Amino acid sequence: MATSDRTRTTREHSTADRRLSRYDLLLLVIPAAFLLALAGSTVSSVPTSALVAGASIVGALAVADGLFRNPPRT
């Protein structure tokens, strides 16, 4: 039985020169909105449910923007 000696080459990915894409930023907006709602609920008298509802709207708008308004292109 013949065997082949395939050496694995790996590409080095440098992140120093890469910028975040629009979709990376949209994915960061969603948890950031909920973290801000959590922080806001601890320092203000606004009900937590209202702040979480606001964060949900922000997250839904980010998803709608990424999927429908500016969809990914291949």
Side-chain angles (χ1 to χ4, degrees):
M1 183 181 327
T3 61
S4 64
D5 183 25
R6 294 182 187 178
T7 58
R8 270 188 121 147
T9 59
T10 59
R11 287 190 287 176
E12 293 183 23
H13 297 286
S14 173
T15 58
D17 59 346
R18 294 183 66 193
R19 294 181 359 163
L20 293 176
S21 72
R22 175 183 187 87
Y23 305 104
D24 294 331
L25 293 174
L26 285 174
L27 288 173
L28 287 174
V29 163
I30 299 167
F34 283 97
L35 288 174
L36 285 173
L38 175 67
S41 70
T42 59
V43 296
S44 71
S45 62
V46 178
T48 304
S49 60
L51 293 173
V52 170
S56 298
I57 291 171
V58 169
L61 289 173
V63 169
D65 180 65
L67 290 177
F68 302 114
R69 186 166 181 247
N70 296 307
R73 295 188 174 102
T74 56

